[in-house]
Each structure stands twice: as C-alpha cells, then as structure tokens.
Amino acid sequence: MFRLETEVDKARRDLLHRRLRDTNTAASPVLRALRGTPAERESPLHVWASDANGRLAGGLVGHTWTTWLHVTYLWVDAPHRGTGLGSTLLTEAERLAATERACTHSRVETWDFQAPDFYRKQGYEVVCVIPDYPPGITEYTLTKQIG
C-alpha cells in the first residue's frame, strides 16, 4: 500500500530529478558519456536587437544542450515585424550555436497562431503536432539541421 501526497516539495523534487538522471544515465551510453562534461548542462544563448533609441526591438532567448539549439522565445516588437528582424535574430542564434557550440540541430515549439509558417520559411520541419494544447490551440514542434 502506498500513501499519495500532492504538496509541492522542493527537496523531493530534487531527489526525484537526481534519481531519474541516474536511471537515464545508466540506460543510455550517450547520456553516460555526457556526465561530468560541460555538454551535460544547458548553456543560455540570447540574441537582442535594439532600435535607434536603444529600446528593445526584438530578441531570442534559448539555450544549447549537447548538439542542439533550443529556441525558447523569439519576439519582435510590432513596429519592426515584417522587416526581417525575426529572421536575423534566428539566423544569428543558429550561427552562434553552430560555430561556437558545435550544434548541428535546432528545435522550437510554437502555437498555430504564432509562427509555424515563419519557422517553415526558415527551413524548419514540423516533427510533432499536438492539437488542443491548450484547448482550441495547436502546438507545433519544429526542427532544423544547422550544422
């Protein structure tokens, strides 16, 4: 018999994370080889664009892990949309990831009302579609070979 609890518990969360990492490492030679190396950790990768007045015009927030760039956020301020700034931010992040961090692929998640067509135009391919996530919205995961 088990007793189930539902409270948020940081100590147990951290313990669970360590145990899952250990289980995964034992099961995967690839993950085992990463243990203790710099590639084991995610490294932030941010690209910012400021307008002539120094205000934020757009930016990309992501991270690299092993040989992957993960684009978490890409945003361009409304007055600058359609100018190519989004493409410039993404291209620079991909360039940095490939040349400075030896990344060979990139991934991003986006909703149907956001930018799946933008990413397709940048050479990304849809690898996953999740309808109703959240209800009434479709989420796309897209990937691209960058290196």
Side-chain angles (χ1 to χ4, degrees), residues 22-34:
D22 291 345
T23 300
N24 291 345
T25 300
S28 168
V30 173
L31 295 177
R32 192 168 34 259
L34 288 172

Side-chain angles (χ1 to χ4, degrees), residues 53-71:
N53 298 314
R55 289 186 293 257
L56 182 65
L60 181 148
V61 172
H63 66 268
T64 57
W65 179 68
T66 68
T67 59
W68 283 81
L69 165 64
H70 188 149
V71 177

Side-chain angles (χ1 to χ4, degrees), residues 81-137:
R81 292 180 190 153
T83 66
L85 180 55
S87 297
T88 299
L89 291 164
L90 184 59
T91 299
E92 179 64 4
E94 292 170 352
R95 184 191 71 76
L96 290 169
T99 61
E100 296 183 7
R101 303 187 186 185
C103 289
T104 56
H105 292 82
S106 179
R107 67 173 285 173
V108 63
E109 295 86 27
T110 189
W111 286 321
D112 55 6
F113 66 88
Q114 289 178 319
D117 291 336
F118 165 79
Y119 289 107
R120 284 187 189 107
K121 288 177 188 172
Q122 306 306 312
Y124 284 73
E125 296 179 12
V126 174
V127 295
C128 179
V129 177
I130 306 173
D132 285 331
Y133 185 77
I137 295 173

